[in-house]
Amino acid sequence: MISYHFRGVERRAIKGEARLCRAVEVHPVQKTVSSGILLTSFAYFLFSVQDASVKWLVVALPVWQILFVRSVTIFALCFAFGGRPILTAARHSPVLKPLFLRNLLLLAAWLSYYTAARDLGLAELTTLYYASPIVMTILSVPILGEKVPGYRWLAVATGFVGVVVACGVAVKGLELSLPVYLALQAAIFWAIATVLLRKTALQERTQVQMTISSGLFVLYTALVVPFVWQPMSGLDLVLMAGTGVLAGIGQFALFEGMRRAPVSVLAPFEYTSLVWAFALGYLIWSDVPGSNVFAGAVLIFSAGLIIIATERFAGRLRVRT
């Protein structure tokens, strides 16, 4: 009888310990996903500031030159914090070859995007470019093996509708042309590069990946820069170096975010950079957003709230079961 009583107490203790272990396992995951969302959103804010800086600089200077100085700045920051060990780790990294391909895609995306920017208005350009989160979500299934629940598809679709509303493309319409094709091409290249980032982010430290990426960009742009280099003022150099610092911090936040959450969770948060783009346009160029921008912004933030609320709710259900 005593033995049976102790066995019952032991079973209840084991069950209680199991429930506690499940709770301990789930909560860090939820905190990790939340931190991934915050880091990714912060990264897209910094990328919006970077885009505004590049738009300011590209009026007088070649894109290749801006990218070269930007990449040298990021590489110098990586070396300053990591020293020779970071270079050694980069040379022997298992993600060296995948990042070589990813950075080629990024370079192609940048060149396509800024070439299209010469002929397309901000509304058309932004709407076409923001097809990338949809492509990211689609590619995350076959490439990363992610399971994408219905609410994530809803969030992506809601965010894209918000972009279309904010840019007013539904009213103005859009004609197929070479700049339109280039903008779509940039979106696809960026989406593939981001999915590949998630794949490599789980295999290597963020600092090493940044060192490899910036080093490859220095190499790519250095091949063309001697043929397009333009004299620049000290202010231009400071702005380009500052762009590199912002891009470096943004890259670190994006790499870390991709390590902590699935691509299908993070994809809708790329839409938040549209809100920053319009805000910066108002602050720098005095562009006054219309009512459609605010309506679109509400939809964009709703897309993020769908992800945050459903992920938290799903996490609570897992804890209870």
Side-chain angles (χ1 to χ4, degrees), residues 154-178:
L154 175 62
V156 170
T158 302
F160 184 71
V161 171
V163 171
V164 173
V165 171
C167 295
V169 172
V171 177
K172 299 176 184 176
L174 192 66
E175 295 181 359
L176 186 61
S177 62
L178 179 60

Side-chain angles (χ1 to χ4, degrees), residues 225-291:
V225 158
F227 303 100
V228 299
W229 187 269
Q230 297 290 330
M232 55 184 176
S233 65
L235 178 61
D236 289 336
L237 182 60
V238 170
L239 283 174
M240 280 191 277
T243 299
V245 173
L246 289 175
I249 299 173
Q251 277 188 20
F252 183 86
L254 181 64
F255 280 41
E256 282 294 310
M258 288 292 171
R259 288 169 63 89
R260 303 179 187 207
V263 168
S264 56
V265 170
L266 299 178
F269 291 91
E270 185 172 356
Y271 292 131
T272 58
S273 57
L274 176 69
V275 179
W276 298 122
F278 278 109
L280 291 168
Y282 173 74
L283 293 173
I284 300 173
W285 292 282
S286 300
D287 295 335
V288 180
S291 58

Side-chain angles (χ1 to χ4, degrees), residues 39-207:
L39 284 167
T40 304
S41 300
F42 179 60
Y44 287 130
F45 163 70
L46 291 178
F47 291 151
S48 298
V49 179
Q50 172 199 244
D51 288 345
S53 301
V54 172
K55 183 179 178 182
W56 185 285
L57 291 165
V58 79
V59 174
L61 296 170
V63 176
W64 288 96
Q65 186 171 341
I66 297 168
L67 289 177
F68 175 75
V69 176
R70 167 189 175 276
S71 303
V72 168
T73 303
I74 297 173
F75 187 82
L77 287 172
C78 292
F79 181 74
F81 285 99
R84 289 188 177 180
I86 202 74
L87 299 181
T88 303
R91 282 198 302 269
H92 299 93
S93 174
V95 301
L96 184 59
K97 291 181 179 179
L99 284 179
F100 181 84
L101 172 61
R102 178 182 178 270
N103 281 275
L104 280 177
L105 290 168
L106 280 178
L107 180 61
W110 273 74
L111 294 174
S112 299
Y113 183 80
Y114 284 111
T115 302
R118 294 171 182 169
D119 299 300
L120 289 179
L122 177 62
E124 293 86 359
L125 183 67
T126 306
T127 301
L128 292 166
Y129 179 74
Y130 277 103
S132 60
I134 297 176
V135 180
M136 270 188 260
T137 306
I138 294 171
L139 292 178
S140 69
V141 177
I143 296 178
L144 301 176
E146 292 185 6
K147 294 181 179 179
V148 184
Y151 66 84
R152 292 182 190 171
W153 290 110
L154 175 62
V156 170
T158 302
F160 184 71
V161 171
V163 171
V164 173
V165 171
C167 295
V169 172
V171 177
K172 299 176 184 176
L174 192 66
E175 295 181 359
L176 186 61
S177 62
L178 179 60
V180 169
Y181 168 79
L182 288 173
L184 285 172
Q185 179 175 272
I188 293 171
F189 284 158
W190 171 257
I192 298 172
T194 304
V195 172
L196 290 177
L197 172 59
R198 169 67 176 175
K199 202 174 183 70
T200 59
L202 301 176
Q203 303 175 31
E204 186 58 273
R205 288 181 297 146
T206 296
Q207 296 92 328

Side-chain angles (χ1 to χ4, degrees), residues 201-218:
L202 301 176
Q203 303 175 31
E204 186 58 273
R205 288 181 297 146
T206 296
Q207 296 92 328
V208 175
Q209 292 187 77
M210 288 182 61
T211 303
I212 296 172
S213 295
S214 58
L216 288 172
F217 255 98
V218 170

